Amino acid sequence: MHKNNISLINLDAKKRLDFFLEQSSLKNIHPLILLNTINEIGVNDCLELLEILPYKQVQSIVDYEVWNNYELDTYKLGEWFNLLMNANYEVAVEQIYHLDREFLGLALKKCCYIYDLTLEDEPVEFPRLYSMCPDNRFLIAFSDDKNLEQLSFAM
C-alpha cells in the first residue's frame, strides 16, 4: 500500500474527506480507504466525493459493496447507482458506462427481460418501466420488483 494511504488511515474521516476533495486525482488512493470514509461519514454527505471518483475507483468500491459470497446483491447495486446519479447524473452515466461489461450484463440480466418483437414475442402485460430499441426489434421490460426498482431505473 502506498505510503500516503497508510497515513490517511490514521486521519479522522472528515479530514480524509476534505483531503480527497482537495486532490486533483484520487487514482492512487486505495478504494477501501475511500469506501471506509464514505461509510463513516455517510453516503449522502459524500455525494461530492462520489462525483469525482475515477471509473476504476467506482468499479472497486461497487465490487466491495455488492458482492456477497459470489452473489450479486442487486438491491445494494441499485442503491449505489442511485447514489452516483444523485451526486451528478451525467458523471454517473459515464462512471456506470465504464464498469466491467460482464458485470453490467449480469446486472441487466437480473433486472429485466428482453423480448424479440420480430418473433412476435412480447409481454402479456407491460411493466411500468420498459424501453424499445431504436429499430423497434427488441423490447426491454424492467422488473416491477421493489427490490430491483433502483437498479431497473439506473439500467
Side-chain angles (χ1 to χ4, degrees), residues 41-79:
I41 292 176
V43 288
N44 291 319
D45 292 328
C46 289
L47 295 179
E48 191 176 356
L49 175 60
L50 294 176
E51 180 180 3
I52 63 172
L53 288 176
Y55 309 135
K56 288 185 179 188
Q57 300 289 38
V58 172
Q59 178 73 58
S60 295
I61 288 171
V62 167
D63 282 343
Y64 282 123
E65 285 291 281
V66 303
W67 290 102
N68 185 11
N69 294 325
Y70 303 103
E71 287 290 322
L72 178 63
D73 185 331
T74 53
Y75 184 80
K76 276 188 178 178
L77 180 58
E79 284 182 328

